[in-house]
Amino acid sequence: MPSAYLPIILFAILAAAFPAVTLLIFKLIRPDSRAVGDKLKPYECGVPAESDSRGRYSVRFYIIAILFVIFDVETVFLFPWAVLYSTSQEGYQLTPLYGLLCMFVFLGILVIGYIWLFRKRALEWV
């Protein structure tokens, strides 16, 4: 039984070592930076920078981004449903009415989430 986990452990070690080894190799082969003064300033088409590049973003931006990711991932779950609905597999097949009902329940939950966010005014920029 423990030998069955050997490929998983090997993959985890390789996945953890790859970024570290890559960074180490490129640190060794990169040229040394001897930049001083104006060469360290950001270049904006020959015009001096107007302000610091570390501006603050509104918290609203992050909320919208997180909500987009959440609802986008939820809609990705429709793809397996569509594949299962369109092709019959051996021993398991969705009946059309049951598959349609499951999809509408899932989308209904998604729409309820959108309505709740709209009422909380989470989707407004101002």
Side-chain angles (χ1 to χ4, degrees):
M1 185 64 139
S3 64
Y5 291 111
L6 189 62
I8 296 171
I9 293 170
L10 183 63
F11 181 74
I13 290 170
L14 287 174
F18 182 74
V21 170
T22 305
L23 287 172
L24 181 67
I25 289 172
F26 283 110
K27 183 177 181 180
L28 295 174
I29 65 173
R30 72 181 170 132
D32 290 333
S33 176
R34 301 192 198 296
V36 292
D38 285 339
K39 287 190 175 186
L40 295 175
K41 291 184 179 178
Y43 180 73
E44 293 185 13
C45 300
V47 178
E50 293 181 8
S51 65
D52 187 20
S53 63
R54 306 254 184 224
R56 291 186 172 197
Y57 288 104
S58 172
V59 175
R60 283 287 205 215
F61 173 77
Y62 294 108
I63 291 174
I64 295 290
I66 289 171
L67 292 175
F68 172 76
V69 169
I70 289 171
F71 284 107
D72 195 41
V73 167
E74 284 183 4
T75 55
V76 166
F77 287 121
L78 289 176
F79 181 73
W81 170 84
V83 169
L84 188 64
Y85 183 70
S86 66
T87 62
S88 63
Q89 296 186 1
E90 191 173 315
Y92 185 76
Q93 182 179 4
L94 282 176
T95 60
L97 185 59
Y98 178 73
L100 196 63
L101 182 65
C102 288
M103 185 211 37
F104 280 134
V105 167
F106 180 77
L107 290 177
I109 293 170
L110 195 65
V111 167
I112 289 171
Y114 273 123
I115 291 170
W116 182 77
L117 289 172
F118 183 75
R119 287 189 177 195
K120 288 284 191 176
R121 297 180 181 231
L123 301 175
E124 293 181 5
W125 283 100
V126 181

